[in-house]
Amino acid sequence: MADETRESLSFHEMGLDDRLVKAIAKLNWSQPSPIQEKAIPLALEGKDILARAKTGSGKTAAYAIPLIQRVLQDKQAYTSSNGVRALVLVPTKELAKQAHKNIKELSSYCSRDVRVADVAQGNLSSTKSLLMEGPDIVVGTPSVLLGHVQAKNLDLKVSLQMLVIDEADLVFSYGYEYDLKTLLSHLPTIYQAFLMSATFSEDVSALKKLVLHNPVILKLQDSQLPSDDKLTQYFIKCEADEKFLLIYTLLKLNLVQGKTIFFVNGIDRCYKLKLFLEQFSIKACVLNSELPHNSRLHIVEEFNRDIYDYIIASDESVFEAVASTSSTSVTKKKKRKKDKEYGVSRGVDFQGVENVINFDFPSTVDAYIHRVGRTARGDNDGTALSFVTASDHKLLKQAEEKLTEELKGEKKEIFKPYQFKMDEIEGFRYRAQDALQAVSKSAVKEARLKEIKAEILNSEKLKAYFQDNPRDLQVLRHDKDLHPSRIQPHLKNVPQYLVPVALRPSMAEASRKRTHTATSNSNSHKRFHNAHGKKRKLDPLKSFKYESRSQRGRKGARMK
């Protein structure tokens, strides 16, 4: 294990190149995070490192800064031949783009001396030109990089000095075991290596034996999730058919506020929920492995820029294995192409996520941790809410046991129950049932096909448009209604008689503010951003504050 007595260092005290320090200052990083503070000095000493740190802890910079520093030092000393000096392997295209962006930002003041290429965003022929430009650092997935090596587009035997495997615990589970082992046979005998991971799994142990030599092991957090003063975790016990009623009620009563990711288990569930919400004029984007890569990247970027508030994301890692074993030829014929290098619960840099809602409870404890890790990142607070049916109780208990175990015996309530008095929202039930009846299997199939076709066209437009207008793509939206003709306009608003008595004052105030905002801004684009600017000041899930029975009694609230 790492020496815990090592004194704390600032970035200025690490002996970094001035251009690198200047780039760090530009990013407003005043002090290194714990993983950066421990890993960077060890990496600069030439140590191999195996590091476990939770999502959002700054792992990318922990390896990117030493990579850039090493390239700069070698070029200044003229001690290294030309060629790729560092390789960064990641399990998904989305994570490759994120890593590439972070490395580019950190090398912004030395971009002529440190050249970075991301070869994951395209095929071998389209990314070959990037390698011909002579990059120092190459980012990509194992399969793509192996393809370039086998195509003789990339030769690593002489020049490679550093290897990074990010999200190492996912690499084998994404099907890269053969690709990675084959790629390693094309590397030099000696190189410095870093494994960065959120968990220490059996796969990480196997990778450790393959790529590390006498590594320093950094285990920098007891819990894989943020502390309970940053992240609040709730659950609602419900029947499977009540999930749609609950999500409709939560959104229409303004109990969920701010940027939210809804996780579902499967692609059909994405479209079923999207079509259901459309009945009430609630717009949301869909994110899944069938969508073209360019569209997925654009959706995430627009979400991060506050263009959208809601993303419905499929977490398919467990369910893909089931789908692929289908024995019927009909299923095989109808099965649409999915991107195996897709990841949402891990590997996507969602920014400013205030709420994560598990519409469908994940099938593993690790999946729960990775989903919830999308919120309460850095210095931000966040809320997680899970809909839990009878079949999910066992997994909920396992998750609580694992998270409690990480607290080393400290007794805390991990999951706080948040139960509706269902009789308070009975008036909403018939509306939810009516809307749900319109979302038939055929409607979902039709919507899924329509969305895929539209996004394929959008993807080509995005590719061409980004080449000429990298910062100005705002007209293309991904939250358009899929079946506008089927929407009943009167369902957009909630009559006051349906609102629980305790919430009527806050609903009236919210309505007044929306009206004021709409009339005070004539420009629709400006109005959109002003509205979001005001909403950022509100507490997300403000009514999800866990209160004692006496507190609720004093407030006169009629909902728990």
Side-chain angles (χ1 to χ4, degrees):
M1 300 293 290
D3 181 8
E4 297 297 331
T5 62
R6 181 186 292 270
E7 292 185 7
S8 175
L9 293 175
S10 68
F11 287 116
H12 292 277
E13 297 171 317
M14 291 180 179
L16 301 175
D17 188 282
D18 289 342
R19 291 165 290 178
L20 190 47
V21 173
K22 191 175 179 181
I24 292 171
K26 184 180 179 181
L27 293 170
N28 295 319
W29 297 352
S30 56
Q31 290 293 327
S33 68
I35 179 65
Q36 294 162 3
E37 181 184 319
K38 295 293 183 181
I40 292 173
L42 291 168
L44 295 177
E45 292 173 10
K47 305 284 188 182
D48 280 13
I49 294 173
L50 171 59
R52 167 189 159 180
K54 60 191 175 187
T55 301
S57 62
K59 293 197 300 292
T60 304
Y63 67 73
I65 290 173
L67 296 189
I68 296 169
Q69 178 69 16
R70 177 75 177 271
V71 171
L72 290 173
Q73 286 178 339
D74 286 348
K75 288 194 171 184
Q76 287 174 350
Y78 300 100
T79 58
S80 177
S81 60
N82 293 328
V84 175
R85 292 171 166 82
L87 209 57
V88 179
L89 301 180
V90 294
T92 70
K93 293 178 180 178
E94 287 83 1
L95 187 55
K97 185 176 180 67
Q98 176 188 332
H100 176 257
K101 176 186 175 184
N102 291 345
I103 296 172
K104 289 283 286 183
E105 288 174 342
L106 286 166
S107 59
S108 59
Y109 289 99
C110 52
S111 55
R112 291 185 179 181
D113 292 320
V114 181
R115 291 160 295 179
V116 190
D118 173 10
V119 296
Q121 319 304 323
N123 54 36
L124 294 184
S125 58
S126 65
T127 54
K128 179 180 178 180
S129 60
L130 297 176
L131 297 176
M132 293 176 66
E133 295 174 2
D136 301 289
I137 303 172
V138 175
V139 183
T141 61
S143 59
V144 170
L145 286 164
L146 177 60
H148 278 298
V149 169
Q150 293 176 333
K152 308 298 183 183
N153 300 335
L154 187 62
D155 185 0
L156 303 168
K157 274 288 187 182
V158 177
S159 61
L160 189 78
Q161 298 170 327
M162 292 166 286
L163 171 69
V164 177
I165 303 180
D166 200 357
E167 303 288 3
D169 51 340
L170 291 183
V171 170
F172 283 176
S173 65
Y174 271 62
Y176 291 125
E177 183 172 2
Y178 171 79
D179 294 332
L180 181 61
K181 289 180 178 178
T182 307
L183 180 62
L184 292 175
S185 68
H186 292 274
L187 303 188
T189 305
I190 299 175
Y191 53 84
Q192 185 181 9
F194 312 135
L195 293 186
M196 318 299 286
S197 178
T199 61
F200 281 172
S201 63
E202 292 182 7
D203 288 346
V204 174
S205 297
L207 279 172
K208 175 186 173 185
K209 294 176 182 177
L210 283 172
V211 303
L212 299 180
H213 175 69
N214 193 25
V216 177
I217 300 175
L218 300 175
K219 186 178 178 182
L220 295 172
Q221 92 284 352
D222 296 318
S223 175
Q224 296 179 59
L225 290 177
S227 58
D228 57 5
D229 62 330
K230 291 288 184 184
L231 173 65
T232 309
Q233 301 175 73
Y234 294 99
F235 71 94
I236 296 179
K237 289 184 178 180
C238 62
E239 300 296 331
D241 59 356
E242 290 178 332
K243 292 181 179 181
F244 292 91
L245 168 62
L246 286 169
I247 201 68
Y248 161 50
T249 308
L250 288 170
L251 295 178
K252 277 301 183 181
L253 294 181
N254 296 327
L255 297 178
V256 175
Q257 297 182 5
K259 292 169 68 173
T260 304
I261 303 176
F262 304 96
F263 279 108
V264 296
N265 294 339
I267 296 176
D268 277 351
R269 295 285 282 177
C270 277
Y271 292 101
K272 186 171 184 177
L273 181 55
K274 177 178 172 64
L275 289 174
F276 174 79
L277 294 178
E278 282 181 7
Q279 304 295 309
F280 307 101
S281 299
I282 299 171
K283 294 183 179 294
C285 299
V286 164
L287 199 60
N288 60 62
S289 63
E290 279 189 344
L291 297 178
H293 180 54
N294 287 335
S295 290
R296 297 202 309 262
L297 291 177
H298 188 241
I299 289 169
V300 174
E301 288 173 358
E302 297 288 79
F303 181 75
N304 289 342
R305 291 171 51 206
D306 292 346
I307 301 301
Y308 311 122
D309 265 352
Y310 303 138
I311 282 185
I312 304 170
S314 64
D315 187 9
E316 305 156 41
S317 55
V318 176
F319 300 92
E320 290 302 295
V322 177
S324 65
T325 59
S326 174
S327 60
T328 63
S329 59
V330 175
T331 303
K332 290 180 181 178
K333 287 180 182 178
K334 289 185 177 181
K335 187 176 179 183
R336 283 183 279 274
K337 185 178 180 181
K338 299 175 184 177
D339 191 341
K340 75 171 187 175
E341 297 176 353
Y342 160 84
V344 168
S345 64
R346 298 268 301 273
V348 178
D349 187 23
F350 292 111
Q351 297 173 10
V353 178
E354 292 161 270
N355 316 298
V356 166
I357 295 183
N358 287 310
F359 187 83
D360 296 327
F361 201 78
S363 59
T364 67
V365 175
D366 283 343
Y368 174 84
I369 291 171
H370 299 323
R371 287 183 184 186
V372 174
R374 299 299 93 198
T375 188
R377 300 184 63 157
D379 296 327
N380 299 316
D381 297 338
T383 304
L385 171 66
S386 298
F387 293 167
V388 179
T389 65
S391 61
D392 301 321
H393 289 171
K394 183 177 179 181
L395 269 167
L396 181 71
K397 185 177 180 181
Q398 291 175 358
E400 186 156 36
E401 287 174 352
K402 181 169 183 177
L403 294 174
T404 302
E405 184 181 313
E406 290 178 346
L407 296 175
K408 295 183 177 179
E410 200 177 334
K411 290 187 177 181
K412 284 189 176 181
E413 186 179 33
I414 303 294
F415 296 105
K416 299 178 173 64
Y418 189 83
Q419 297 176 342
F420 283 101
K421 286 185 177 179
M422 296 304 292
D423 59 333
E424 291 277 1
I425 59 170
E426 276 301 314
F428 291 88
R429 188 180 293 274
Y430 80 92
R431 287 185 163 214
Q433 290 174 342
D434 185 42
L436 199 55
Q437 285 178 356
V439 188
S440 62
K441 288 184 179 179
S442 60
V444 170
K445 180 180 178 181
E446 181 184 343
R448 186 169 170 175
L449 186 60
K450 179 180 178 181
E451 179 94 334
I452 296 300
K453 287 181 177 178
E455 289 299 341
I456 287 173
L457 294 175
N458 287 346
S459 184
E460 291 304 312
K461 291 178 184 177
L462 287 170
K463 184 177 180 180
Y465 193 96
F466 272 137
Q467 291 175 354
D468 300 325
N469 304 276
R471 298 182 179 179
D472 197 34
L473 186 59
Q474 298 181 7
V475 295
L476 187 60
R477 295 184 65 88
H478 304 269
D479 59 351
K480 294 178 181 177
D481 295 338
L482 291 175
H483 287 294
S485 61
R486 301 182 185 182
I487 295 173
Q488 304 176 58
H490 74 278
L491 293 179
K492 180 177 181 180
N493 300 313
V494 179
Q496 189 178 25
Y497 68 85
L498 288 181
V499 180
V501 175
L503 293 178
R504 288 179 186 176
S506 60
M507 287 286 289
E509 176 66 14
S511 178
R512 186 191 67 77
K513 287 184 177 180
R514 284 196 299 271
T515 302
H516 174 74
T517 302
T519 56
S520 62
N521 296 279
S522 58
N523 183 287
S524 60
H525 181 70
K526 184 178 180 180
R527 178 169 69 247
F528 177 87
H529 283 283
N530 284 351
H532 278 254
K534 290 184 178 181
K535 186 156 58 177
R536 291 286 81 80
K537 299 177 183 178
L538 300 174
D539 291 331
L541 289 172
K542 66 175 183 179
S543 295
F544 274 28
K545 294 177 181 176
Y546 187 67
E547 301 170 341
S548 67
R549 185 170 298 176
S550 60
Q551 287 174 313
R552 290 197 298 270
R554 287 196 298 272
K555 290 185 177 180
R558 296 179 63 192
M559 298 180 72
K560 290 184 180 179

